[in-house]
Amino acid sequence: MKDKKKDIRALTKEQLQKFFVSEGDKSFRGTQVYEWLWNKAAHSFDDMTNISKETRQMLKDNFVINHIRVDRMQRSSDGTIKNAVKLHDSLTVESVLIPTKTRTTACVSSQVGCSLDCQFCATAKLKRMRNLNPDEIYDQVVAIDNESRLYFDRPLSNIVFMGMGEPLMNYNNVMKAVEKITSPEGLGMSPKRITISTSGVPKMIKKLADDEAKIKLAVSLHSARNEVRTQIMPFNETFPLEDLREALEYWYSKTKSRITYEYIVWKDINDTREDAQALVRFCKYVPCKVNLIEYNPIDDGNFQQAPSKATDMYQDMLERNGITVTVRRSRGKDIDAACGQLANKSA
Ligand code: SAH
């Protein structure tokens, strides 16, 4: 019977209020508890100091709070922090705090492992074990917000769904977490400070547009040529660039929000002028900017960062065509916290 207790954070505020009414209490008690669970991120019923001891005991008899635990925290020489996060069923995911002069960004995971098969990504080697629940995503954000206040004297400012997993393959839970993060009853953050990064699931990009979430969208493009993209991101066979383009056009027509393309230039894979030209053509479909990101080697060594003259060639060609491009340096490499390295060693 004990194990059958329900995770209290799976309840909506209304359900919680109804529960209290059914227990002969006021619906307002539900509002108070809801505030403890989300706004104050309580991990124990005993933290709820304005709730009577009897009520807390009643809650303990009926529910659990399946909170995460930061199992191991590693700090990089550049200030980046990686949290190994233990879930209630002992599975582990990772999240990263990335500080700059003015911002703290949380890079959070959406799944344990990943169902996609990007050949250059460490998480893809893990396979997908399960989706994260909304509260497990929310807790990662809260943990990083706390670390930001503790180590950098400021609250968290931005969130990117660029940790483990494909957020659009766990759409409902990711959106529920976003709702909690942006709600004044949760963290009250602006959705404009949240970026969902996807490898490009056309149907779900359209759904995201329809749902008017007001978040920012990033797409891990890495090649604008089907024959190349399918080789490095095999699901491109099912969701080819034509479908991605159509979904992105739909996204922009609905949201008017510029898309960011993430792109790595690899030696002998996508480092020719033809590859760069294909990217320039793709960039003309929808207002966008390009982040040329550095490759973080994963252990099997099949991919190598192209020499800087290839990246320069891309940058040049994009700029000459009026496309905004930034070259991003990796953070937290020394602790395997950089993009695509999550689960490299801790799995
Ligand atoms: N599934 C989502 C989010 C997770 S990956 C997505 O694909 O966007 C987050 C970013 O890291 C993506 O842009 C991805 O392409 C990039 N990435 C994956 N492996 C990498 C590696 N080894 N080095 C650098 N970036 C990598």
Side-chain angles (χ1 to χ4, degrees):
M1 189 62 204
K2 251 192 172 166
D3 296 339
K4 294 280 182 299
K5 285 184 196 171
K6 204 172 166 167
D7 180 5
I8 191 165
R9 285 189 296 175
L11 268 56
T12 62
K13 187 162 86 177
E14 291 67 34
Q15 287 168 331
L16 205 51
Q17 289 167 334
K18 273 200 188 127
F19 169 79
F20 276 98
V21 173
S22 75
E23 289 287 318
D25 203 333
K26 299 193 181 67
S27 94
F28 170 67
R29 201 75 60 222
T31 316
Q32 280 180 312
V33 171
Y34 190 82
E35 198 167 285
W36 275 110
L37 291 172
W38 294 104
N39 187 263
K40 299 185 186 132
H43 279 181
S44 152
F45 292 114
D46 287 327
D47 292 345
M48 305 181 177
T49 44
N50 61 353
I51 306 290
S52 74
K53 267 211 172 110
E54 295 72 42
T55 306
R56 281 187 249 155
Q57 189 54 50
M58 185 274 286
L59 287 172
K60 282 185 224 171
D61 293 340
N62 285 281
F63 300 105
V64 289
I65 305 175
N66 276 341
H67 61 83
I68 63 158
R69 198 157 45 81
V70 176
D71 218 24
R72 191 157 83 111
M73 191 196 104
Q74 287 170 276
R75 292 191 79 179
S76 158
S77 52
D78 66 17
T80 302
I81 294 176
K82 180 167 84 166
N83 292 333
V85 169
K86 187 73 102 201
L87 308 172
H88 68 92
D89 53 3
S90 289
L91 290 170
T92 304
V93 292
E94 294 176 330
S95 23
V96 184
L97 178 160
I98 308 151
T100 63
K101 267 209 187 85
T102 52
R103 290 178 175 188
T104 300
T105 300
C107 174
V108 297
S109 295
S110 56
Q111 298 181 311
V112 187
C114 190
S115 54
L116 298 181
D117 44 11
C118 303
Q119 302 292 296
F120 47 83
C121 178
T123 307
K125 310 267 182 277
L126 292 177
K127 306 297 168 216
R128 191 193 75 95
M129 283 181 267
R130 72 168 171 88
N131 286 335
L132 292 190
N133 295 324
D135 49 85
E136 292 170 325
I137 297 170
Y138 185 83
D139 281 356
Q140 292 176 66
V141 175
V142 171
I144 290 183
D145 185 33
N146 289 339
E147 287 167 350
S148 181
R149 288 168 198 270
L150 184 64
Y151 297 109
F152 301 95
D153 255 337
R154 61 187 186 207
L156 172 69
S157 58
N158 297 73
I159 301 172
V160 293
F161 280 85
M162 292 188 190
M164 296 162 81
E166 168 51 50
L168 296 190
M169 295 283 207
N170 182 18
Y171 187 87
N172 289 340
N173 290 351
V174 166
M175 294 318 284
K176 277 188 198 157
V178 167
E179 198 261 313
K180 293 282 193 291
I181 293 164
T182 53
S183 149
E185 287 175 325
L187 298 178
M189 280 181 74
S190 162
K192 292 196 188 75
R193 293 178 173 275
I194 303 177
T195 301
I196 291 191
S197 176
T198 175
S199 35
V201 190
K203 204 168 86 188
M204 301 320 284
I205 292 174
K206 287 186 182 165
K207 179 156 172 52
L208 196 58
D210 285 336
D211 289 348
E212 296 178 13
K214 307 267 187 315
I215 50 96
K216 296 225 150 72
L217 183 66
V219 175
S220 303
L221 193 59
H222 303 310
S223 175
R225 298 168 67 194
N226 273 323
E227 65 276 25
V228 178
R229 197 167 192 261
T230 299
Q231 213 189 328
I232 55 179
M233 302 167 84
F235 65 86
N236 185 71
E237 183 104 59
T238 323
F239 309 127
L241 288 162
E242 295 71 27
D243 296 3
L244 180 59
R245 168 188 175 176
E246 195 214 326
L248 295 175
E249 285 170 341
Y250 185 80
W251 161 270
Y252 190 78
S253 73
K254 285 249 162 176
T255 65
K256 296 285 175 285
S257 166
R258 185 162 81 149
I259 294 157
T260 301
Y261 295 128
E262 291 150 280
Y263 201 103
I264 303 172
V265 187
W266 287 286
K267 186 169 176 284
D268 299 333
I269 291 178
N270 59 354
D271 57 356
T272 67
R273 290 187 69 79
E274 208 181 339
D275 292 294
Q277 276 156 358
L279 176 60
V280 167
R281 274 196 303 279
F282 198 86
C283 285
K284 300 228 160 129
Y285 298 146
V286 184
C288 65
K289 65 174 179 157
V290 174
N291 277 349
L292 290 178
I293 58 182
E294 201 183 328
Y295 177 56
N296 303 308
I298 58 171
D299 283 343
D300 62 11
N302 293 332
F303 287 81
Q304 282 160 40
Q305 170 86 49
S308 57
K309 71 173 195 299
T311 317
D312 293 347
M313 181 266 293
Y314 263 91
Q315 189 174 4
D316 226 55
M317 211 185 278
L318 288 162
E319 278 172 354
R320 273 193 286 114
N321 281 277
I323 299 152
T324 309
V325 49
T326 38
V327 180
R328 291 229 182 264
R329 292 204 50 80
S330 276
R331 305 287 306 271
K333 262 193 187 183
D334 54 340
I335 53 166
D336 284 326
C339 284
Q341 291 189 311
L342 298 186
N344 210 10
K345 302 227 169 81
S346 61

